[in-house]
Amino acid sequence: MQQVKNIRWSFLVLMLTLNFGCDQISKKIVRSEISDYEHISIIKDRFTLLKVENTGAFLSLGDQMPYIFRLIILTGLPLLFLCYGLYYLFVKKNLPVTMQVALCFLIGGGIGNLYDRIIYGSVTDFMHMDFYLFQTGVFNFADISIMIGIGILLFQSLRSKVEKEEPAETEVD
């Protein structure tokens, strides 16, 4: 039983580390190689690199708030949620594997952005996509991790709802 627990913990730590590590390595490269607001076309102006330091939340929401409010709302609250998420992830024993993976993506991405906010005072965003009809804001790998985690949770939720709605098969004589 202890071996299963060790494997589970190792898997969770590896997933968290990969999410955080990929985010931080990419941001370190961007900080050293791309100038602020430099625009680099990767795929015909549909996918571009554009380094932006975001002092707000998603799409720079809240970047005009007074510093103390930004500190509480954009650093303090996420720190509390991430600590609770880590506690829940490691203490709750019977979580489905998909839920564990989703939480690793959410928490790993959240830690990546929170780390930036604490160490640098802003979050480094650098990817932008333009799909003719709509375009994304500027984002980073932590944001991708968070969205993947949300996607997995939504998929899991919809799948379990469909499974509950399916009537039990009965045999006809």
Side-chain angles (χ1 to χ4, degrees):
M1 192 63 177
Q2 183 63 31
Q3 186 177 11
V4 171
K5 183 179 177 183
N6 289 342
I7 290 170
R8 177 180 177 266
W9 276 58
S10 297
F11 171 76
L12 295 176
V13 169
L14 176 66
M15 288 289 296
L16 289 166
T17 303
L18 285 173
N19 276 279
F20 176 75
C22 289
D23 175 62
Q24 289 303 304
I25 289 169
S26 66
K27 289 175 182 174
K28 181 177 175 117
I29 292 168
V30 166
R31 284 187 205 105
S32 67
E33 301 296 325
I34 300 176
S35 302
D36 288 343
Y37 302 103
E38 181 179 351
H39 187 271
I40 301 170
S41 179
I42 302 296
I43 302 174
K44 296 184 181 182
D45 289 334
R46 299 293 138 226
F47 179 64
T48 58
L49 301 181
L50 171 69
K51 179 183 165 196
V52 177
E53 293 298 330
N54 182 357
T55 58
F58 177 70
L59 298 175
S60 297
L61 294 174
D63 66 340
Q64 298 298 317
M65 285 191 302
Y67 174 75
I68 190 68
F69 291 121
R70 274 189 296 149
L71 183 67
I72 293 167
I73 294 170
L74 301 178
T75 305
L77 289 177
L79 183 61
L80 288 173
F81 284 117
L82 290 170
C83 287
Y84 177 74
L86 285 168
Y87 168 79
Y88 186 80
L89 180 64
F90 284 98
V91 171
K92 190 83 168 167
K93 294 181 182 357
N94 296 324
L95 287 176
V97 172
T98 53
M99 174 80 96
Q100 293 177 46
V101 170
L103 288 174
C104 285
F105 275 100
L106 283 165
I107 295 167
I111 291 172
N113 280 342
L114 184 62
Y115 177 85
D116 277 9
R117 192 169 306 285
I118 291 169
I119 299 300
Y120 301 105
S122 63
V123 175
T124 303
D125 290 328
F126 58 91
M127 290 183 275
H128 178 262
M129 298 175 86
D130 185 349
F131 297 106
Y132 295 108
L133 298 176
F134 74 93
Q135 55 183 305
T136 66
V138 183
F139 59 97
N140 58 43
F141 279 108
D143 299 331
I144 293 171
S145 289
I146 292 167
M147 294 306 293
I148 289 171
I150 291 170
I152 293 169
L153 289 176
L154 283 173
F155 177 76
Q156 165 97 14
S157 175
L158 291 173
R159 191 177 82 191
S160 66
K161 185 176 181 180
V162 167
E163 288 173 358
K164 286 179 184 176
E165 289 178 358
E166 289 179 2
E169 293 184 28
T170 57
E171 286 187 29
V172 179
D173 290 67

